[in-house]
Amino acid sequence: MAKKKIGQNFLIDQQVAEREVQYVNPDKEDVVLEIGPGKGVLTIPLAEKVKKVIAVEIDSQLVKKLKTTLPDNVTLINADVLKIDFNTLPIFNKIVSNLPFQISSPITFKLLAYPFSKAILIYQKDFAERMVAISGSKQYSRLSVGIYYKTHCRILEIVPKEFFYPVPKVDSCIVELIPREKPPFDVTNEQFFFDMTKKLFSLRRKKIKNILKDVYGKLENHPYIDKRVEELTPQQIGELSNFLFKMNP
Ligand code: SAM
Protein backbone atom coordinates (compact mmCIF):
# COMPACT_ATOMS: atom_id res chain seq x y z
CA MET A 1 0.00 0.00 0.00
CA ALA A 2 1.19 3.52 -0.86
CA LYS A 3 2.41 5.56 2.12
CA LYS A 4 0.80 8.98 2.03
CA LYS A 5 3.04 10.44 4.72
CA ILE A 6 6.13 10.08 2.54
CA GLY A 7 4.49 11.36 -0.64
CA GLN A 8 3.99 8.05 -2.41
CA ASN A 9 2.00 8.98 -5.50
CA PHE A 10 3.45 6.78 -8.21
CA LEU A 11 3.63 7.91 -11.82
CA ILE A 12 1.55 5.48 -13.88
CA ASP A 13 1.93 7.06 -17.32
CA GLN A 14 4.92 5.60 -19.16
CA GLN A 15 4.89 8.37 -21.79
CA VAL A 16 5.34 11.07 -19.16
CA ALA A 17 8.20 9.02 -17.68
CA GLU A 18 9.84 8.72 -21.14
CA ARG A 19 9.50 12.48 -21.74
CA GLU A 20 10.96 13.23 -18.32
CA VAL A 21 13.99 11.10 -19.16
CA GLN A 22 14.36 12.91 -22.51
CA TYR A 23 14.29 16.33 -20.75
CA VAL A 24 17.39 15.21 -18.82
CA ASN A 25 19.24 15.05 -22.21
CA PRO A 26 20.74 11.74 -21.08
CA ASP A 27 24.31 11.09 -22.07
CA LYS A 28 26.57 8.05 -21.61
CA GLU A 29 28.88 10.19 -19.45
CA ASP A 30 26.11 11.26 -17.04
CA VAL A 31 25.88 10.23 -13.42
CA VAL A 32 22.34 11.02 -12.29
CA LEU A 33 20.96 11.30 -8.77
CA GLU A 34 17.36 10.09 -8.56
CA ILE A 35 15.41 10.98 -5.43
CA GLY A 36 12.67 8.49 -4.52
CA PRO A 37 12.78 5.90 -7.34
CA GLY A 38 9.61 4.29 -5.98
CA LYS A 39 8.87 1.35 -8.28
CA GLY A 40 11.48 2.40 -10.82
CA VAL A 41 9.28 4.02 -13.49
CA LEU A 42 12.04 6.56 -14.26
CA THR A 43 15.02 4.61 -12.98
CA ILE A 44 14.90 1.81 -15.55
CA PRO A 45 14.54 3.89 -18.78
CA LEU A 46 17.07 6.40 -17.42
CA ALA A 47 19.66 3.73 -16.57
CA GLU A 48 19.60 2.55 -20.22
CA LYS A 49 20.79 5.96 -21.40
CA VAL A 50 23.34 7.12 -18.81
CA LYS A 51 26.56 5.87 -17.23
CA LYS A 52 25.16 5.53 -13.71
CA VAL A 53 22.08 6.25 -11.60
CA ILE A 54 22.33 6.80 -7.85
CA ALA A 55 18.83 6.18 -6.52
CA VAL A 56 18.02 7.23 -2.94
CA GLU A 57 14.81 5.75 -1.54
CA ILE A 58 13.60 6.07 2.06
CA ASP A 59 11.15 3.14 2.00
CA SER A 60 12.95 -0.12 2.81
CA GLN A 61 10.07 -2.24 1.49
CA LEU A 62 10.30 -0.59 -1.92
CA VAL A 63 14.09 -0.93 -1.84
CA LYS A 64 13.78 -4.69 -1.30
CA LYS A 65 11.51 -5.06 -4.34
CA LEU A 66 13.50 -2.67 -6.53
CA LYS A 67 16.80 -4.43 -5.87
CA THR A 68 15.68 -7.42 -7.89
CA THR A 69 14.63 -5.42 -10.95
CA LEU A 70 17.33 -2.79 -11.47
CA PRO A 71 20.25 -3.03 -13.92
CA ASP A 72 23.86 -3.09 -12.68
CA ASN A 73 24.54 0.59 -13.32
CA VAL A 74 22.04 1.65 -10.63
CA THR A 75 23.33 2.14 -7.09
CA LEU A 76 20.34 1.90 -4.79
CA ILE A 77 20.65 3.56 -1.38
CA ASN A 78 18.08 3.09 1.36
CA ALA A 79 18.16 6.50 3.09
CA ASP A 80 16.42 9.80 3.71
CA VAL A 81 17.75 12.14 1.03
CA LEU A 82 17.49 15.10 3.41
CA LYS A 83 19.95 13.43 5.81
CA ILE A 84 22.49 12.26 3.25
CA ASP A 85 25.70 14.24 2.77
CA PHE A 86 25.89 14.52 -1.04
CA ASN A 87 29.69 14.63 -0.80
CA THR A 88 29.67 10.99 0.42
CA LEU A 89 27.97 9.87 -2.84
CA PRO A 90 29.75 9.30 -6.14
CA ILE A 91 29.95 12.66 -7.95
CA PHE A 92 26.74 13.25 -9.93
CA ASN A 93 26.10 15.93 -12.57
CA LYS A 94 22.33 15.68 -13.11
CA ILE A 95 19.26 15.14 -10.93
CA VAL A 96 15.86 13.70 -11.64
CA SER A 97 12.90 13.13 -9.34
CA ASN A 98 9.17 12.94 -9.00
CA LEU A 99 9.53 14.64 -5.66
CA PRO A 100 7.60 13.62 -2.58
CA PHE A 101 5.74 16.92 -2.11
CA GLN A 102 6.42 17.09 1.65
CA ILE A 103 10.12 17.75 1.08
CA SER A 104 9.85 20.11 -1.94
CA SER A 105 11.24 23.13 -0.15
CA PRO A 106 14.13 21.65 1.93
CA ILE A 107 15.32 19.39 -0.90
CA THR A 108 15.32 22.27 -3.41
CA PHE A 109 17.51 24.39 -1.15
CA LYS A 110 19.77 21.40 -0.46
CA LEU A 111 20.17 20.68 -4.18
CA LEU A 112 21.00 24.31 -4.92
CA ALA A 113 24.03 24.07 -2.65
CA TYR A 114 25.44 21.22 -4.81
CA PRO A 115 27.15 21.84 -8.18
CA PHE A 116 24.99 20.06 -10.78
CA SER A 117 24.40 20.96 -14.44
CA LYS A 118 20.68 20.18 -14.81
CA ALA A 119 17.73 18.95 -12.75
CA ILE A 120 14.38 17.70 -14.03
CA LEU A 121 11.93 17.59 -11.15
CA ILE A 122 8.21 17.07 -10.73
CA TYR A 123 6.65 19.41 -8.15
CA GLN A 124 3.08 20.12 -7.17
CA LYS A 125 1.76 22.83 -9.50
CA ASP A 126 1.36 25.58 -6.89
CA PHE A 127 4.94 25.08 -5.68
CA ALA A 128 6.27 25.14 -9.27
CA GLU A 129 4.32 28.35 -9.94
CA ARG A 130 5.86 29.97 -6.86
CA MET A 131 9.31 28.96 -8.11
CA VAL A 132 8.90 30.92 -11.38
CA ALA A 133 6.63 33.74 -10.10
CA ILE A 134 7.51 37.35 -10.91
CA SER A 135 7.19 40.44 -8.72
CA GLY A 136 3.69 41.79 -8.34
CA SER A 137 2.05 38.36 -8.67
CA LYS A 138 0.28 36.53 -5.84
CA GLN A 139 2.68 33.59 -6.00
CA TYR A 140 5.83 35.76 -5.80
CA SER A 141 7.72 34.72 -2.69
CA ARG A 142 11.08 34.24 -1.01
CA LEU A 143 11.33 30.99 -3.00
CA SER A 144 10.89 32.84 -6.33
CA VAL A 145 13.69 35.26 -5.43
CA GLY A 146 16.08 32.47 -4.36
CA ILE A 147 15.35 30.38 -7.45
CA TYR A 148 15.78 33.37 -9.80
CA TYR A 149 19.07 34.33 -8.15
CA LYS A 150 20.53 30.81 -8.35
CA THR A 151 19.03 29.26 -11.50
CA HIS A 152 17.34 29.44 -14.85
CA CYS A 153 14.02 27.80 -14.01
CA ARG A 154 11.24 26.77 -16.42
CA ILE A 155 8.00 24.85 -16.19
CA LEU A 156 8.17 22.33 -19.06
CA GLU A 157 4.73 20.79 -18.77
CA ILE A 158 1.73 20.33 -16.50
CA VAL A 159 1.05 16.73 -15.50
CA PRO A 160 -2.61 16.07 -14.61
CA LYS A 161 -3.13 14.46 -11.21
CA GLU A 162 -4.80 11.41 -12.81
CA PHE A 163 -1.38 10.36 -14.12
CA PHE A 164 -0.42 9.32 -10.58
CA TYR A 165 -1.68 6.58 -8.27
CA PRO A 166 -3.04 7.10 -5.68
CA VAL A 167 -4.45 10.26 -7.32
CA PRO A 168 -3.15 13.32 -5.41
CA LYS A 169 -5.31 16.39 -4.69
CA VAL A 170 -3.62 18.64 -7.25
CA ASP A 171 -1.87 18.62 -10.64
CA SER A 172 1.91 18.63 -10.93
CA CYS A 173 4.51 20.25 -13.18
CA ILE A 174 7.75 19.08 -14.72
CA VAL A 175 10.33 21.75 -13.90
CA GLU A 176 13.79 22.29 -15.36
CA LEU A 177 16.46 23.84 -13.14
CA ILE A 178 19.79 24.94 -14.59
CA PRO A 179 22.15 26.64 -12.13
CA ARG A 180 23.39 30.06 -13.28
CA GLU A 181 27.09 30.36 -14.04
CA LYS A 182 27.11 33.67 -12.21
CA PRO A 183 24.45 35.61 -10.25
CA PRO A 184 22.17 37.82 -12.39
CA PHE A 185 23.04 40.92 -10.29
CA ASP A 186 25.65 41.94 -7.71
CA VAL A 187 24.99 41.14 -4.09
CA THR A 188 27.54 42.34 -1.54
CA ASN A 189 26.73 39.68 1.05
CA GLU A 190 24.61 36.69 0.02
CA GLN A 191 23.69 35.56 3.52
CA PHE A 192 22.50 39.08 4.36
CA PHE A 193 20.50 39.20 1.09
CA PHE A 194 18.77 35.85 1.80
CA ASP A 195 18.09 36.72 5.47
CA MET A 196 16.63 40.09 4.51
CA THR A 197 14.50 38.57 1.74
CA LYS A 198 13.11 36.07 4.29
CA LYS A 199 12.35 38.80 6.83
CA LEU A 200 10.63 41.08 4.30
CA PHE A 201 8.47 38.27 2.83
CA SER A 202 7.40 37.17 6.32
CA LEU A 203 5.58 40.55 6.42
CA ARG A 204 4.89 40.92 2.69
CA ARG A 205 1.90 43.26 3.05
CA LYS A 206 3.79 45.80 5.19
CA LYS A 207 5.79 48.71 3.84
CA ILE A 208 9.51 48.01 3.96
CA LYS A 209 10.27 51.08 6.11
CA ASN A 210 7.88 49.82 8.80
CA ILE A 211 9.47 46.37 8.86
CA LEU A 212 12.99 47.70 9.15
CA LYS A 213 12.54 50.73 11.40
CA ASP A 214 13.36 48.79 14.60
CA VAL A 215 16.76 47.83 13.25
CA TYR A 216 17.70 50.83 11.12
CA GLY A 217 15.72 53.67 12.71
CA LYS A 218 14.17 56.13 10.30
CA LEU A 219 15.15 55.02 6.81
CA GLU A 220 15.38 57.79 4.29
CA ASN A 221 16.98 58.34 0.93
CA HIS A 222 16.08 55.07 -0.64
CA PRO A 223 13.43 54.78 -3.37
CA TYR A 224 12.18 51.33 -2.27
CA ILE A 225 11.44 51.82 1.42
CA ASP A 226 7.89 53.08 0.81
CA LYS A 227 7.09 49.91 -1.15
CA ARG A 228 6.18 46.37 -0.12
CA VAL A 229 8.67 43.60 -0.90
CA GLU A 230 6.20 41.87 -3.21
CA GLU A 231 6.43 44.91 -5.53
CA LEU A 232 10.23 44.67 -5.90
CA THR A 233 12.02 42.54 -8.50
CA PRO A 234 14.79 40.22 -7.22
CA GLN A 235 17.34 42.72 -8.52
CA GLN A 236 15.70 45.60 -6.62
CA ILE A 237 15.69 43.48 -3.44
CA GLY A 238 19.40 42.93 -4.11
CA GLU A 239 19.97 46.70 -4.43
CA LEU A 240 18.12 47.35 -1.17
CA SER A 241 20.10 44.61 0.55
CA ASN A 242 23.41 46.15 -0.63
CA PHE A 243 22.28 49.58 0.62
CA LEU A 244 21.31 48.22 4.06
CA PHE A 245 24.43 46.08 4.33
CA LYS A 246 26.54 49.22 3.83
CA MET A 247 24.65 50.98 6.65
CA ASN A 248 25.81 48.19 8.98
CA PRO A 249 23.71 49.14 12.05
N1 SAM B 1 9.73 7.94 -8.77
C1 SAM B 1 8.53 7.20 -8.43
C2 SAM B 1 7.44 7.48 -9.45
O1 SAM B 1 7.59 8.44 -10.20
O2 SAM B 1 6.47 6.75 -9.47
C3 SAM B 1 8.02 7.56 -7.03
C4 SAM B 1 7.64 9.00 -6.83
S1 SAM B 1 6.80 9.30 -5.31
C5 SAM B 1 6.07 10.87 -5.68
C6 SAM B 1 8.08 9.80 -4.19
C7 SAM B 1 9.07 8.72 -3.78
O3 SAM B 1 10.02 9.29 -2.86
C8 SAM B 1 8.47 7.53 -3.02
O4 SAM B 1 9.02 6.33 -3.52
C9 SAM B 1 8.87 7.76 -1.56
O5 SAM B 1 8.97 6.56 -0.81
C10 SAM B 1 10.21 8.44 -1.73
N2 SAM B 1 10.59 9.34 -0.62
C11 SAM B 1 9.79 10.09 0.18
N3 SAM B 1 10.50 10.81 1.05
C12 SAM B 1 11.81 10.53 0.79
C13 SAM B 1 13.05 10.96 1.37
N4 SAM B 1 13.06 11.86 2.37
N5 SAM B 1 14.21 10.45 0.89
C14 SAM B 1 14.20 9.55 -0.14
N6 SAM B 1 13.06 9.09 -0.72
C15 SAM B 1 11.88 9.59 -0.28
Side-chain angles (χ1 to χ4, degrees):
M1 220 175 69
K3 296 173 184 144
K4 222 172 152 185
K5 261 197 180 157
I6 49 171
Q8 289 187 347
N9 301 98
F10 299 105
L11 180 63
I12 52 172
D13 188 283
Q14 200 60 44
Q15 284 177 346
V16 173
E18 294 288 345
R19 284 204 299 282
E20 214 177 329
V21 169
Q22 286 312 318
Y23 289 136
V24 172
N25 290 340
D27 187 286
K28 279 290 176 199
E29 295 301 307
D30 285 336
V31 178
V32 184
L33 172 70
E34 187 189 0
I35 299 162
K39 299 177 182 177
V41 68
L42 293 175
T43 326
I44 293 165
L46 183 64
E48 285 169 11
K49 298 187 172 64
V50 299
K51 184 171 170 194
K52 190 178 182 64
V53 179
I54 306 158
V56 180
E57 171 59 61
I58 198 170
D59 184 341
S60 46
Q61 282 173 314
L62 283 179
V63 167
K64 244 190 229 164
K65 281 188 203 151
L66 257 181
K67 254 187 193 157
T68 60
T69 60
L70 294 178
D72 290 345
N73 63 339
V74 180
T75 303
L76 184 58
I77 300 172
N78 185 191
D80 179 344
V81 72
L82 292 177
K83 293 190 180 149
I84 266 190
D85 176 356
F86 286 158
N87 294 313
T88 63
L89 300 177
I91 293 171
F92 56 89
N93 62 316
K94 291 180 180 172
I95 303 159
V96 72
S97 180
N98 293 344
L99 283 169
F101 72 90
Q102 290 91 338
I103 65 165
S104 297
S105 185
I107 192 60
T108 302
F109 285 104
K110 181 167 176 165
L111 293 177
L112 291 179
Y114 185 88
F116 61 92
S117 63
K118 185 180 203 180
I120 297 294
L121 305 166
I122 289 193
Y123 290 94
Q124 286 197 331
K125 187 163 168 277
D126 61 337
F127 192 90
E129 285 171 349
R130 279 202 286 131
M131 291 172 85
V132 298
I134 56 168
S135 56
S137 67
K138 220 172 70 193
Q139 292 102 328
Y140 187 52
S141 64
R142 169 191 165 219
L143 176 72
S144 332
V145 175
I147 291 289
Y148 177 82
Y149 184 73
K150 294 258 185 191
T151 73
H152 297 282
C153 178
R154 288 193 298 157
I155 292 180
L156 300 178
E157 56 177 275
I158 295 171
V159 186
K161 57 183 190 294
E162 292 77 18
F163 286 16
F164 296 88
Y165 186 83
V167 180
K169 289 202 174 83
V170 294
D171 292 340
S172 291
C173 289
I174 303 180
V175 171
E176 176 190 76
L177 279 180
I178 298 180
R180 288 184 187 271
E181 278 176 21
K182 63 184 192 59
F185 48 85
D186 287 334
V187 164
T188 317
N189 183 303
E190 280 193 355
Q191 195 54 52
F192 183 85
F193 168 62
F194 290 128
D195 290 348
M196 198 195 69
T197 303
K198 185 174 177 184
K199 186 178 171 92
L200 295 180
F201 273 103
S202 70
L203 297 163
R204 60 184 294 146
R205 299 295 302 148
K206 271 192 161 185
K207 284 192 178 168
I208 289 168
K209 65 178 179 193
N210 293 333
I211 303 174
L212 298 180
K213 70 174 179 234
D214 292 347
V215 189
Y216 295 91
K218 203 158 174 258
L219 273 173
E220 279 165 18
N221 299 332
H222 199 282
Y224 303 147
I225 56 171
D226 271 315
K227 295 187 183 290
R228 298 173 178 86
V229 68
E230 59 192 10
E231 299 171 86
L232 300 184
T233 64
Q235 175 155 358
Q236 289 170 330
I237 298 173
E239 286 167 24
L240 181 65
S241 144
N242 292 346
F243 173 77
L244 294 172
F245 187 71
K246 235 176 28 199
M247 285 178 67
N248 199 16

